[in-house]
Amino acid sequence: MKLIFIGAPGAGKGTHAAFVSSRLEIPAISTGALLREEIKNRTPLGIQIAGTMDEGKLVADEIVLNIIKMRIAMPDCRKGFILDGFPRTENQARELDKIVEIDHVVSIEVPDEIIEIRLEGRRVCKTCGAIYHIVDNPPKIQNVCDKCGSGLSIRHDDIPEVVKDRLKIYHHDTEPLKVYYASCGKLKEVEGAEDVRETERRVCRAIGIEL
Ligand code: AP5
């Protein structure tokens, strides 16, 4: 199955993409995570985009498109994949349409006020990228990843002023994609303000996965 997860920053795309990925045994591909890896490794691309990402602005379409084209051509994507955080502009969506047929586009709907609270409490594993929340989805041991035992950190773009800018960019550039995908019958809107397990159930129901 080929899936796209869209939604505001902090809506839960990464959390639910990880769950569906393990259920369907297909990779979850986060453009944000791929770009952060470039920054962590101090590659020329990472150095070029670090400021843009810290400010919560979108990285240029050509850069992200190149990364996605290379990633979905890899052998582990033959059975399908989940794109988390891509496309984010209509241009990205049109370019993606030229190379692959998507089955469903899941839009996780969460009000901005809840997003702001969620991102204040998000913690991310420094090594494997697993996502936690200090209250709603805590690790078993405080600040230690359940999956790999590494320490947890706060993302640079989760500071409140940057979150406000990211939300503005989402509403202006990415939310219109819902109309784009609704017009071809692929959009599945899922209420994402409930707890993690309930939202997981809703996402699975929307794309026809049995739990
Ligand atoms: P990216 O990494 O994609 O960030 P984002 O879209 O802003 O989304 P987040 O990762 O912040 O949130 P999420 O929806 O995955 O939520 P999560 O599951 O973590 O992009 C970062 C940057 O990269 C962009 O700003 C841009 O610069 C660049 N970029 C990336 N893609 C690009 C593209 N296509 N084009 C151009 N630039 C691009 O959950 C959030 C928190 O809430 C966690 O703590 C989690 O535990 C908790 N939580 C989740 N669900 C629930 C729930 N139901 N109840 C309670 N808590 C919950």
Side-chain angles (χ1 to χ4, degrees):
M1 198 180 312
K2 297 186 178 74
L3 302 168
I4 291 173
F5 281 19
I6 61 170
K13 302 180 294 295
T15 301
H16 301 299
F19 180 77
V20 173
S21 159
S22 68
R23 289 300 304 245
L24 297 183
E25 297 181 347
I26 54 175
I29 301 169
S30 156
T31 38
L34 293 172
L35 294 167
R36 279 188 291 278
E37 199 57 26
E38 297 283 337
I39 295 173
K40 191 169 139 197
N41 295 334
R42 297 180 186 279
T43 64
L45 174 61
I47 292 163
Q48 184 191 336
I49 62 177
T52 307
M53 288 195 51
D54 280 351
E55 288 173 17
K57 295 189 178 133
L58 294 184
V59 171
D61 284 351
E62 316 82 74
I63 293 176
V64 188
L65 277 160
N66 276 337
I67 289 178
I68 281 290
K69 281 180 189 166
M70 282 194 288
R71 182 63 188 87
I72 65 178
M74 288 182 180
D76 65 334
C77 291
R78 266 188 223 126
K79 237 178 83 183
F81 50 76
I82 306 164
L83 300 180
D84 156 11
F86 179 91
R88 259 170 148 102
T89 63
E90 197 167 317
N91 179 43
Q92 291 179 11
R94 290 190 189 284
E95 290 299 316
L96 183 67
D97 281 348
K98 291 181 191 165
I99 51 173
V100 73
E101 171 90 23
I102 295 295
D103 298 299
H104 304 291
V105 177
V106 178
S107 172
I108 304 177
E109 305 290 326
V110 180
D112 288 5
E113 315 81 77
I114 295 182
I115 295 284
E116 291 183 32
I117 297 166
R118 274 192 193 171
L119 290 183
E120 265 191 69
R122 172 162 60 185
R123 299 292 180 272
V124 182
C125 175
K126 289 177 190 164
T127 305
C128 74
I131 304 163
Y132 300 91
H133 188 276
I134 51 174
V135 178
D136 296 324
N137 192 21
K140 292 189 184 89
I141 302 168
Q142 198 181 7
N143 265 324
V144 178
C145 179
D146 292 346
K147 295 191 175 128
C148 73
S150 298
L152 306 184
S153 64
I154 299 175
R155 262 172 53 176
H156 292 279
D157 56 354
D158 277 351
I159 55 171
E161 311 84 81
V162 178
V163 168
K164 282 192 192 306
D165 288 342
R166 288 163 65 200
L167 281 167
K168 275 190 210 145
I169 292 170
Y170 167 73
H171 291 303
H172 184 268
D173 292 323
T174 308
E175 205 169 18
L177 288 182
K178 290 200 286 180
V179 177
Y180 179 84
Y181 286 116
S183 70
C184 51
K186 300 206 162 150
L187 185 74
K188 315 279 174 200
E189 285 183 285
V190 173
E191 174 56 58
E194 298 296 329
D195 64 47
V196 174
R197 297 289 93 81
E198 176 55 26
T199 308
E200 236 159 55
R201 279 191 282 277
R202 291 175 187 207
V203 168
C204 289
R205 216 176 299 135
I207 55 180
I209 305 177
E210 283 189 29
L211 281 170

